Amino acid sequence: MIRKIIVIDEEKCNGCGICAEACHEGAIGMVGGKAKLLREDYCDGLGDCLPACPKNAISFEEREAPAYNEAAVLAAKQAKQAPASCSCPGTISRAISAPSASGTAAEVPSQLRNFPVQIKLAAVNAPFFDGADLLIAADCTAYAYGNFHSRFMKNRVTLIGCPKLDSVNYAEKLAGIFAENNIRSVTVVRMEVPCCGGLSQAVQTALKNSGKDIPCEIITIATNGTIRN
């Protein structure tokens, strides 16, 4: 059938991943650092992704395309939300007690207070979220900033992710965490690269959708390991 559907200009796309977050149907994903229309039948043609794109790389075209398949979209969403069929030890929520003094002066104690730390693995109602000051960090930040544990992780619950590599709706998951728990504050640590904009955008969207008024600070790390703001 001939219908309206999006088209993505790969030359303009900077790989930020914001459009993939904005696409509620899951039609857009990140492939090789660029946004791609993964499923034409998932695109409803309404264009929620258009205003989200900072580079105006997305537009409409009318062409032959399969009809929008709402049933398939809903089934895909339910599959993402369904619990795993097996109990993987890596997904079990647990708090971590404060570290004891190190046996050697060369060892610096970890400041990690929870596990798992991946946004997509953390349970929305994990007990460590209650009353937490929450750190939401891009994967690369801990490698770029040398004092990451003591500067950012200390006394905080940590979640990490990469909007460029993870095919998951962070905004939806984080909104659930904000709405169902007593989160005291949110600190977002991202890299200066454009793709990290998807992380801060997801947090801001989640805060709005949760209906909670939670203080939020966004900190940007430069690729040379310094804090930009």
Side-chain angles (χ1 to χ4, degrees), residues 3-13 19 27-28 35-38 40 43 45-47 49-50 53 55-63 65:
R3 70 180 185 94
K4 187 165 65 173
I5 196 167
I6 66 159
V7 57
I8 301 172
D9 186 334
E10 291 189 17
E11 294 298 320
K12 292 182 179 179
C13 176
C19 61
I28 302 175
K36 300 279 188 181
L37 178 58
L38 301 179
E40 292 184 349
C43 178
L46 297 179
C49 54
L50 270 70
C53 180
K55 294 296 184 179
N56 295 317
I58 305 176
S59 58
F60 280 126
E61 64 178 355
E62 288 197 8
R63 60 175 174 83

Side-chain angles (χ1 to χ4, degrees), residues 35-177:
K36 300 279 188 181
L37 178 58
L38 301 179
R39 291 282 299 260
E40 292 184 349
D41 59 333
Y42 282 19
C43 178
D44 59 9
L46 297 179
D48 288 344
C49 54
L50 270 70
C53 180
K55 294 296 184 179
N56 295 317
I58 305 176
S59 58
F60 280 126
E61 64 178 355
E62 288 197 8
R63 60 175 174 83
E64 182 70 32
Y68 171 58
N69 191 339
E70 184 178 11
V73 170
L74 292 175
K77 287 183 178 180
Q78 290 174 355
K80 283 185 177 181
Q81 295 172 355
S85 58
C86 62
S87 180
C88 172
T91 63
I92 298 175
S93 301
R94 55 185 180 272
I96 301 173
S97 59
S100 58
S102 173
T104 64
E107 292 182 3
V108 178
S110 170
Q111 297 298 329
L112 186 64
R113 293 291 176 273
N114 61 282
F115 196 86
V117 296
Q118 286 283 349
I119 296 173
K120 60 184 177 181
L121 295 181
V124 168
N125 58 353
F128 49 70
F129 285 131
D130 186 39
D133 291 301
L134 184 60
L135 169 66
I136 303 174
D139 292 355
C140 298
T141 55
Y143 296 94
Y145 190 72
N147 203 28
F148 192 82
H149 273 243
S150 60
R151 171 67 175 81
F152 297 117
M153 289 175 59
K154 188 175 182 179
N155 299 323
R156 291 188 175 102
V157 166
T158 301
L159 291 178
I160 66 170
C162 177
K164 189 171 184 178
L165 300 180
D166 290 344
S167 56
V168 64
N169 188 338
Y170 287 153
E172 192 172 297
K173 181 70 170 286
L174 292 172
I177 292 173

Side-chain angles (χ1 to χ4, degrees), residues 158-202:
T158 301
L159 291 178
I160 66 170
C162 177
K164 189 171 184 178
L165 300 180
D166 290 344
S167 56
V168 64
N169 188 338
Y170 287 153
E172 192 172 297
K173 181 70 170 286
L174 292 172
I177 292 173
F178 298 153
E180 296 190 27
N181 299 279
N182 179 29
I183 303 294
R184 297 192 303 180
S185 68
V186 177
T187 301
V188 181
V189 182
R190 53 160 292 183
M191 295 298 295
E192 64 179 340
V193 295
C195 57
C196 264
L199 185 63
S200 50
Q201 176 74 21

